[in-house]
Amino acid sequence: MKPSAVLFDCDGVLVDSEPETLRVIHEDLIAHGMDITLHEMEERFVGGTVPAIAERVRAIGVDLPDDWSARVYDKIYAALAENVALMDGVPELLDILDAAGVPYAVGSNGTPEKMDLTLGQHPDVYARLKGRLYSGQALNCAKPDPGLYLHAAAAVNAAPEQAVVIEDSATGARAAARAGMRCFGYAPHGKDQALRDEGAVIFTSMRDLPGLLGL
């Protein structure tokens, strides 16, 4: 069934920003004495916010300064300042959605500044999305709170039950489910079990998504 709107996560769905973001956070946590591998970081923290990571890390006894989140964001922004690639097939997918008259928006747990920085490196795509980029942190409803996707759907006049969400994390898939929306889990590297556990329909290429959406 053709959706009333498509709501995208940003990091790991539209832009390939997650590996560098995780690397920066991992290196900083190691410097503060936390014993954790990069793989464990990915398993535990993908889809979360930097302040939420700080809260969880402090809860297990790691001593982080009060301004840790702000400092880490500065490091992340510096690392992402250039050469953040779009995920393969994104421009073509937006072309298909435009041709079908299906509106779209972005709901990210990242900050507005981070979305502007990464998507802004791709002017054609950014121009299509600007004004439809919604941050769970800015709106105080970060995933898995369903409020972010409900807000995005309302912004494009879409009924939640007729909208679909495109996610790459279990946290985001849980937010979609709580919002009453179908979720398609983007798993280009085969890491799909956590998404499946949250009820997402798995796909591995953006080029397959139009068919799954009935377009």
Side-chain angles (χ1 to χ4, degrees):
M1 181 180 69
K2 177 180 172 180
S4 62
V6 176
L7 309 177
F8 294 97
D9 177 41
C10 186
D11 299 298
V13 171
L14 296 176
V15 289
D16 193 16
S17 51
E18 283 189 337
E20 190 69 2
T21 298
L22 282 174
R23 180 193 66 78
V24 169
I25 298 172
H26 179 248
E27 289 182 358
D28 199 275
L29 290 178
I30 293 294
H32 281 89
M34 186 173 183
D35 182 16
I36 189 170
T37 67
L38 193 57
H39 176 71
E40 290 170 334
M41 284 280 300
E42 185 173 11
E43 292 293 316
R44 293 169 63 179
F45 297 138
V46 164
T49 67
V50 170
I53 292 172
E55 183 178 343
R56 292 174 62 183
V57 167
R58 289 188 179 111
I60 60 174
V62 179
D63 186 21
L64 299 178
D66 291 343
D67 63 348
W68 182 82
S69 293
R71 289 186 183 185
V72 167
Y73 267 128
D74 286 342
K75 293 179 180 180
I76 291 170
Y77 297 156
L80 297 177
E82 56 185 33
N83 297 324
V84 175
L86 287 174
M87 302 305 281
D88 182 57
V90 165
E92 295 83 358
L93 174 59
L94 298 185
D95 287 343
I96 292 169
L97 293 175
D98 286 338
V102 177
Y104 45 84
V106 178
S108 173
N109 269 356
T111 62
E113 295 82 2
K114 186 179 180 186
M115 286 188 279
D116 288 339
L117 177 65
T118 57
L119 290 166
Q121 295 175 39
H122 306 280
D124 291 343
V125 168
Y126 184 58
R128 296 178 175 187
L129 297 171
K130 194 171 183 180
R132 289 179 282 177
L133 301 171
Y134 303 104
S135 164
Q137 292 191 63
L139 293 169
N140 198 31
C141 54
K143 310 168 202 175
D145 190 320
L148 175 57
Y149 280 131
L150 290 170
H151 179 92
V156 294
N157 298 312
E161 66 274 12
Q162 296 174 354
V164 301
V165 167
I166 313 302
E167 268 289 350
D168 72 322
S169 75
T171 299
R174 190 174 306 130
R178 290 176 177 177
M181 300 177 186
R182 289 187 296 155
C183 182
F184 291 83
Y186 183 46
H189 306 299
K191 298 178 181 179
D192 58 0
Q193 191 56 53
L195 285 163
R196 291 183 190 276
D197 289 346
E198 298 294 339
V201 175
I202 304 302
F203 69 105
T204 59
S205 170
M206 288 294 173
R207 301 177 194 283
D208 295 334
L209 190 55
L212 294 172
L213 297 178
L215 301 177

